[in-house]
Amino acid sequence: MGAATADRNPVKRAVGLHRAVILLGPPGAGKGTQAQRIAKRYHLPHLSTGDMLRDHIQGGTALGRMAKPLMERGELVPDEIVLGMVEDRISQPDCDNGFVFDGFPRTQGQAEDLERICRQHKFEYTIVLHMVVDPDLLMRRLTGRRICKTGGHIYNIYDRPPKIAGICDEDGSELIHRPDDTEPVIRGRLHAYEVQTQPLVDYYKGQGLLIEVDAMADADAVTASIAKTLDRAEAAR
Ligand code: ADP
């Protein structure tokens, strides 16, 4: 980090990446797993809009009641709802040094608004990691996915099973099968991705922000390749 850079914003640049890291890819690409790991490595918050919405549903809020039927059908929640949630979250002090988005932005409107929010919060750099994966793999990854109730640790009954069925290796919590990880809903989610989110690949490519990641490799290899990309981007800043 050069002295000129450090002078501009000494506190915010001391830790973290001071940038928005966006993981872009279809449901089942491994965004959640990688976002957790990257967030931990760089001491940044992991911001999953899906988790935020599920918290609202669990808490029985008005927002949760609105989002629930849409999520059950695999459809997207309206932009203004998601944007309000994201803007509130980014204003929290733990986001001062950057953050890792998982599942956001998902539409052109969300991407444009994120740019505005980042400018407002003085985040100069965004990096978009496009997680490229063979579509045939996604159904298996999603139907087999099980998630730890307490810590959000992610398993797959086919490819990455826990040592004891239904129990998290890390903290012994119960593993949950998400209600939208069933075949008909997954089809809806994949369709929503293709129509509403896939166009963001070209959008971010056009802005020179997109970096492709081979998300077919095993999870550790994907993490290593993302970390290398982020370290390189930081060094070049
Ligand atoms: P996945 O990426 O595996 O589909 P998520 O947990 O990110 O899982 O999302 C689950 C659901 O939450 C989505 O199908 C959608 O209904 C809703 N959702 C999450 N993030 C957004 C978003 N940024 N915009 C609109 N809807 C969202």
Side-chain angles (χ1 to χ4, degrees):
M1 185 193 293
T5 315
D7 285 345
R8 268 211 314 272
N9 202 337
V11 178
K12 285 193 171 185
R13 286 172 195 281
V15 260
L17 294 167
H18 197 72
R19 63 165 88 221
V21 177
I22 294 171
L23 295 181
L24 186 63
K31 300 186 299 292
T33 301
Q34 297 303 329
Q36 265 176 13
R37 295 175 177 200
I38 293 302
K40 195 167 169 195
R41 180 182 167 106
Y42 295 98
H43 308 285
L44 295 174
H46 165 202
L47 309 187
S48 157
T49 43
D51 285 348
M52 293 179 204
L53 290 165
R54 280 184 287 277
D55 284 347
H56 275 281
I57 292 176
Q58 192 133 30
T61 67
L63 195 159
R65 284 197 296 280
M66 206 243 79
K68 189 166 185 263
L70 296 167
M71 291 172 75
E72 281 172 353
R73 292 199 296 271
E75 294 171 22
L76 295 191
V77 172
D79 284 356
E80 57 275 20
I81 303 258
V82 176
L83 284 163
M85 260 178 10
V86 166
E87 198 153 7
D88 282 354
R89 185 63 189 87
I90 287 180
S91 307
Q92 304 296 314
D94 66 330
C95 289
D96 278 358
N97 301 310
F99 33 86
V100 183
F101 274 128
D102 157 15
F104 179 88
R106 253 172 153 104
T107 65
Q108 174 92 19
Q110 291 179 16
E112 287 170 4
D113 236 64
L114 176 62
E115 258 173 71
R116 175 187 63 75
I117 298 171
C118 281
R119 262 198 312 273
Q120 233 167 8
H121 289 261
K122 311 232 178 320
F123 287 101
E124 294 166 57
Y125 304 95
T126 298
I127 192 164
V128 184
L129 301 163
H130 177 211
M131 307 203 37
V132 182
V133 63
D134 179 348
D136 293 343
L137 251 188
L138 299 175
M139 192 55 84
R140 176 186 170 92
R141 282 193 177 178
L142 290 165
T143 53
R145 178 162 69 176
R146 300 292 182 272
I147 303 167
C148 155
K149 202 172 175 178
T150 314
H153 305 106
I154 301 169
Y155 298 84
N156 186 288
I157 54 169
Y158 308 120
D159 305 321
R160 200 148 49 95
K163 292 194 185 93
I164 303 167
I167 304 292
C168 178
D169 295 348
E170 309 270 335
D171 58 25
S173 303
E174 184 191 348
L175 298 182
I176 304 290
H177 187 190
R178 247 170 63 177
D180 61 346
D181 276 347
T182 51
E183 231 180 289
V185 186
I186 293 168
R187 286 193 203 294
R189 288 160 61 201
L190 292 173
H191 178 73
Y193 178 79
E194 253 170 55
V195 175
Q196 290 165 282
T197 311
Q198 177 82 30
L200 293 184
V201 171
D202 283 339
Y203 174 77
Y204 282 124
K205 207 181 268 174
Q207 295 189 359
L209 299 176
L210 195 89
I211 295 183
E212 301 222 320
V213 175
D214 172 12
M216 302 277 284
D218 79 74
D220 290 347
V222 177
T223 310
S225 118
I226 292 178
K228 205 162 143 190
T229 300
L230 290 176
D231 289 345
R232 204 181 295 138
E234 277 308 282
R237 192 174 73 184

